[in-house]
Amino acid sequence: MSEQNNSETKPVHIPTVAIVGRPNVGKSSLFNAIVGRRLSIVHEMPGVTRDRVVAPLVRGKCRFQLIDTGGLGMLSGETRKVDMWDSRIASQVDIAIGGADVLILVANVQDGVVNLDEEVAARLRESGKPVLFAANKCDNPTLEHESVEFMKLGFKKIFPVSCLHKRGVNALVEAAIKLLPQNVSEDGESEAPAVKPLNIAVVGRPNVGKSSLVNALLGEERVMVSDVAGTTRDAIDVDFTLRYQGGDRAAVLVDTAGLRKKAKVDTVVEFFSVMRAQAAIDRADLVLFVVEASPDGMTAQDRRIASMIQKAGKACVVVANKFDLYKSGHKVRALEEELRYSLPGMNFSPVVFISAKDRSNLDGLLDSIAQVMDQLELSIPTGVLNRVLADAFESSTPPVVGAAPLKLYYASMVGMTPPKVLLFVNNPKYCADNYLAFLKNTLRQAFDLTGVPLELELRARPKKVESIRREPSPAARRRMKAGKPAPKRDAEKPKRRVKPNSKRRNNSSGRKG
């Protein structure tokens, strides 16, 4: 029995293609061209990409994942003029090479063969993995002919590629797919997740510990961590397995760049980073809002980010990080009260105090995530919903606003993520703001809506409801069956309506005459 369970929970290996090369040769441009959207940040400044950016892809019956890596910017043994990020990027590239099934080496045909190209080519050969060589920026036939120069690196075939004009990309991808191991199950069907993974975005201002939290949850150094603001640039999607309802639930952790004030965003790369972070919030199912567990409360930027989450209507867990710095002199209750006071709009979200550095209380965070996941899948029966609201109206009479008091006729749940309830009333203008808040709190307490925003829409019930479909009369059905048109007099000459007392008035006037 245990052997069967082990075989069922055995992780499935997804074939992987990694794009590698020196800085500023167009690796991210090639990555985006294959993916079909601007997922990785592209800029002429070298060293923009630092962490590994991963994207799942499907081509025909083949499912695989593509990895974009940072540029290898130093020769082996080089110590002078080495950027502070070069060694960290090299470590990320080594991990990508070790986990990949096929490698794509990218070079810039307009620069010709340089020493770093030879260094990277030798490094990839040592891995023993299949390597395809892509000569990028072949934007015209002349440059395409010049790609022959790279034959001296020892590759049998050169793939001329132009990401700008989308030339040669499909041929390169097809060649890589042929080298991938088959990911088809025994019954002949392609392996695919049965349930859509839960998308969890990790957001916050710079230097609050977002990347440290991601690494702590994963149990590995998946993304770079430093004290320098702006270390993370791309939105990094990382596959993650979450314990949920006694089983495993597939999830995706999205590490994002720190969100600064618009006035302080001074570079194009940082502007793109902020755009990626905002897009990560929009496509997330759940947001982990990371703040600093400080007794001074939240900053103005924290409140702006909280407003972004509320406007997006996303489920949220507030993660108060760096609790190890304050737990000796402050109590959790006092810190939480200060946090709630600073972020009044996030009262629906649970607050979890952790230390990503010490990996403390991560279990409590996972429990809160699972609790919010339950609420995301909650469906409230219509009958129960109406009884709860009827009791609320009976226990607390709505104040009179306008010409008449608010009356509730009917309620129905019309949305789930986030929960949205539609209330049919006599007039939405008759509902006071504080009474609407009272109804929200009543529903939140009745159904334990923790971590999810609740939206109530008031709509006036129409006085007269006309049927969308009219049943034809028996005579009309017979005409339709026989193919005869409707009589013209029915459509063109409506029957005149005569007042009941008009004839009597005429007769009386005649008698008098």
Side-chain angles (χ1 to χ4, degrees), residues 11 66 123 153 160 223 252 276 380 387-388 419 482 487:
L66 186 68
R123 191 170 185 171
L153 294 179
V223 291
V252 177
R276 298 294 194 277
I380 305 175
R387 283 196 296 270
V388 171

PDB file of all heavy atoms in Angstrom, residues 11 66 123 153 160 223 252 276 380 387-388 419 482 487:
ATOM      1  N   PRO A  11       6.969  13.108  -8.022  1.00  0.00           N
ATOM      2  CA  PRO A  11       6.883  14.311  -8.839  1.00  0.00           C
ATOM      3  C   PRO A  11       7.177  14.000 -10.306  1.00  0.00           C
ATOM      4  O   PRO A  11       8.024  13.176 -10.635  1.00  0.00           O
ATOM      5  CB  PRO A  11       7.957  15.229  -8.233  1.00  0.00           C
ATOM      6  CG  PRO A  11       8.911  14.309  -7.529  1.00  0.00           C
ATOM      7  CD  PRO A  11       8.086  13.163  -7.047  1.00  0.00           C
ATOM      8  N   LEU A  66      10.390  26.784 -20.333  1.00  0.00           N
ATOM      9  CA  LEU A  66      11.504  27.543 -20.884  1.00  0.00           C
ATOM     10  C   LEU A  66      12.058  28.452 -19.798  1.00  0.00           C
ATOM     11  O   LEU A  66      11.300  29.081 -19.056  1.00  0.00           O
ATOM     12  CB  LEU A  66      11.019  28.364 -22.078  1.00  0.00           C
ATOM     13  CG  LEU A  66      12.063  29.127 -22.880  1.00  0.00           C
ATOM     14  CD1 LEU A  66      12.975  28.156 -23.623  1.00  0.00           C
ATOM     15  CD2 LEU A  66      11.386  30.079 -23.873  1.00  0.00           C
ATOM     16  N   ARG A 123      31.795  25.890 -21.385  1.00  0.00           N
ATOM     17  CA  ARG A 123      31.086  25.583 -20.125  1.00  0.00           C
ATOM     18  C   ARG A 123      29.869  24.697 -20.383  1.00  0.00           C
ATOM     19  O   ARG A 123      29.583  23.777 -19.610  1.00  0.00           O
ATOM     20  CB  ARG A 123      30.666  26.895 -19.476  1.00  0.00           C
ATOM     21  CG  ARG A 123      30.168  26.781 -18.048  1.00  0.00           C
ATOM     22  CD  ARG A 123      30.020  28.175 -17.464  1.00  0.00           C
ATOM     23  NE  ARG A 123      29.665  28.177 -16.065  1.00  0.00           N
ATOM     24  CZ  ARG A 123      29.639  29.258 -15.303  1.00  0.00           C
ATOM     25  NH1 ARG A 123      29.971  30.432 -15.841  1.00  0.00           N
ATOM     26  NH2 ARG A 123      29.308  29.197 -14.036  1.00  0.00           N
ATOM     27  N   LEU A 153      33.215  27.650 -33.245  1.00  0.00           N
ATOM     28  CA  LEU A 153      32.980  27.258 -31.854  1.00  0.00           C
ATOM     29  C   LEU A 153      32.718  25.766 -31.714  1.00  0.00           C
ATOM     30  O   LEU A 153      32.607  25.265 -30.595  1.00  0.00           O
ATOM     31  CB  LEU A 153      31.797  28.046 -31.284  1.00  0.00           C
ATOM     32  CG  LEU A 153      31.998  29.563 -31.124  1.00  0.00           C
ATOM     33  CD1 LEU A 153      30.728  30.203 -30.574  1.00  0.00           C
ATOM     34  CD2 LEU A 153      33.177  29.863 -30.197  1.00  0.00           C
ATOM     35  N   PRO A 160      20.282  30.809 -37.436  1.00  0.00           N
ATOM     36  CA  PRO A 160      20.165  32.269 -37.505  1.00  0.00           C
ATOM     37  C   PRO A 160      18.783  32.704 -37.008  1.00  0.00           C
ATOM     38  O   PRO A 160      17.759  32.184 -37.444  1.00  0.00           O
ATOM     39  CB  PRO A 160      20.342  32.579 -39.000  1.00  0.00           C
ATOM     40  CG  PRO A 160      20.862  31.323 -39.610  1.00  0.00           C
ATOM     41  CD  PRO A 160      20.353  30.201 -38.763  1.00  0.00           C
ATOM     42  N   VAL A 223      15.639  32.690  -5.472  1.00  0.00           N
ATOM     43  CA  VAL A 223      15.782  34.048  -5.993  1.00  0.00           C
ATOM     44  C   VAL A 223      16.834  34.785  -5.170  1.00  0.00           C
ATOM     45  O   VAL A 223      17.106  34.444  -4.017  1.00  0.00           O
ATOM     46  CB  VAL A 223      14.442  34.816  -5.952  1.00  0.00           C
ATOM     47  CG1 VAL A 223      13.469  34.251  -6.954  1.00  0.00           C
ATOM     48  CG2 VAL A 223      13.827  34.780  -4.560  1.00  0.00           C
ATOM     49  N   VAL A 252       1.701  28.511  -7.616  1.00  0.00           N
ATOM     50  CA  VAL A 252       2.787  29.266  -8.238  1.00  0.00           C
ATOM     51  C   VAL A 252       3.047  30.496  -7.387  1.00  0.00           C
ATOM     52  O   VAL A 252       2.153  31.325  -7.185  1.00  0.00           O
ATOM     53  CB  VAL A 252       2.435  29.689  -9.681  1.00  0.00           C
ATOM     54  CG1 VAL A 252       3.558  30.537 -10.272  1.00  0.00           C
ATOM     55  CG2 VAL A 252       2.183  28.478 -10.554  1.00  0.00           C
ATOM     56  N   ARG A 276       5.422  44.959 -14.065  1.00  0.00           N
ATOM     57  CA  ARG A 276       5.321  43.506 -13.866  1.00  0.00           C
ATOM     58  C   ARG A 276       4.689  43.191 -12.517  1.00  0.00           C
ATOM     59  O   ARG A 276       3.890  42.260 -12.392  1.00  0.00           O
ATOM     60  CB  ARG A 276       6.714  42.859 -13.947  1.00  0.00           C
ATOM     61  CG  ARG A 276       7.444  42.997 -15.271  1.00  0.00           C
ATOM     62  CD  ARG A 276       6.747  42.252 -16.386  1.00  0.00           C
ATOM     63  NE  ARG A 276       7.585  42.102 -17.561  1.00  0.00           N
ATOM     64  CZ  ARG A 276       7.746  43.018 -18.515  1.00  0.00           C
ATOM     65  NH1 ARG A 276       7.134  44.177 -18.403  1.00  0.00           N
ATOM     66  NH2 ARG A 276       8.524  42.788 -19.563  1.00  0.00           N
ATOM     67  N   ILE A 380     -22.299  30.295  -1.420  1.00  0.00           N
ATOM     68  CA  ILE A 380     -23.353  30.463  -0.419  1.00  0.00           C
ATOM     69  C   ILE A 380     -24.700  30.139  -1.055  1.00  0.00           C
ATOM     70  O   ILE A 380     -25.072  30.758  -2.065  1.00  0.00           O
ATOM     71  CB  ILE A 380     -23.359  31.902   0.127  1.00  0.00           C
ATOM     72  CG1 ILE A 380     -21.976  32.266   0.674  1.00  0.00           C
ATOM     73  CG2 ILE A 380     -24.417  32.064   1.204  1.00  0.00           C
ATOM     74  CD1 ILE A 380     -21.868  33.721   1.121  1.00  0.00           C
ATOM     75  N   ARG A 387     -31.962  34.291   4.227  1.00  0.00           N
ATOM     76  CA  ARG A 387     -32.361  34.226   5.642  1.00  0.00           C
ATOM     77  C   ARG A 387     -31.440  35.072   6.510  1.00  0.00           C
ATOM     78  O   ARG A 387     -31.896  35.759   7.428  1.00  0.00           O
ATOM     79  CB  ARG A 387     -32.354  32.773   6.114  1.00  0.00           C
ATOM     80  CG  ARG A 387     -33.562  31.978   5.642  1.00  0.00           C
ATOM     81  CD  ARG A 387     -33.712  30.699   6.442  1.00  0.00           C
ATOM     82  NE  ARG A 387     -32.586  29.790   6.231  1.00  0.00           N
ATOM     83  CZ  ARG A 387     -32.538  28.865   5.275  1.00  0.00           C
ATOM     84  NH1 ARG A 387     -33.542  28.750   4.420  1.00  0.00           N
ATOM     85  NH2 ARG A 387     -31.494  28.077   5.163  1.00  0.00           N
ATOM     86  N   VAL A 388     -30.134  35.025   6.232  1.00  0.00           N
ATOM     87  CA  VAL A 388     -29.182  35.822   7.019  1.00  0.00           C
ATOM     88  C   VAL A 388     -29.445  37.309   6.838  1.00  0.00           C
ATOM     89  O   VAL A 388     -29.469  38.086   7.806  1.00  0.00           O
ATOM     90  CB  VAL A 388     -27.736  35.466   6.612  1.00  0.00           C
ATOM     91  CG1 VAL A 388     -26.738  36.436   7.243  1.00  0.00           C
ATOM     92  CG2 VAL A 388     -27.400  34.043   7.025  1.00  0.00           C
ATOM     93  N   PRO A 419     -16.053  37.063  -3.601  1.00  0.00           N
ATOM     94  CA  PRO A 419     -17.500  36.889  -3.441  1.00  0.00           C
ATOM     95  C   PRO A 419     -18.250  38.171  -3.753  1.00  0.00           C
ATOM     96  O   PRO A 419     -17.908  39.250  -3.268  1.00  0.00           O
ATOM     97  CB  PRO A 419     -17.633  36.505  -1.958  1.00  0.00           C
ATOM     98  CG  PRO A 419     -16.299  35.971  -1.564  1.00  0.00           C
ATOM     99  CD  PRO A 419     -15.305  36.728  -2.373  1.00  0.00           C
ATOM    100  N   ALA A 482     -48.343  26.359 -41.245  1.00  0.00           N
ATOM    101  CA  ALA A 482     -48.730  26.334 -42.660  1.00  0.00           C
ATOM    102  C   ALA A 482     -47.867  27.250 -43.513  1.00  0.00           C
ATOM    103  O   ALA A 482     -47.997  27.260 -44.741  1.00  0.00           O
ATOM    104  CB  ALA A 482     -50.201  26.733 -42.791  1.00  0.00           C
ATOM    105  N   PRO A 487     -51.868  38.280 -40.750  1.00  0.00           N
ATOM    106  CA  PRO A 487     -52.745  39.239 -41.433  1.00  0.00           C
ATOM    107  C   PRO A 487     -52.239  40.659 -41.281  1.00  0.00           C
ATOM    108  O   PRO A 487     -51.757  41.046 -40.213  1.00  0.00           O
ATOM    109  CB  PRO A 487     -54.089  39.048 -40.722  1.00  0.00           C
ATOM    110  CG  PRO A 487     -54.003  37.713 -40.071  1.00  0.00           C
ATOM    111  CD  PRO A 487     -52.583  37.490 -39.738  1.00  0.00           C
TER     112      PRO A 487
END
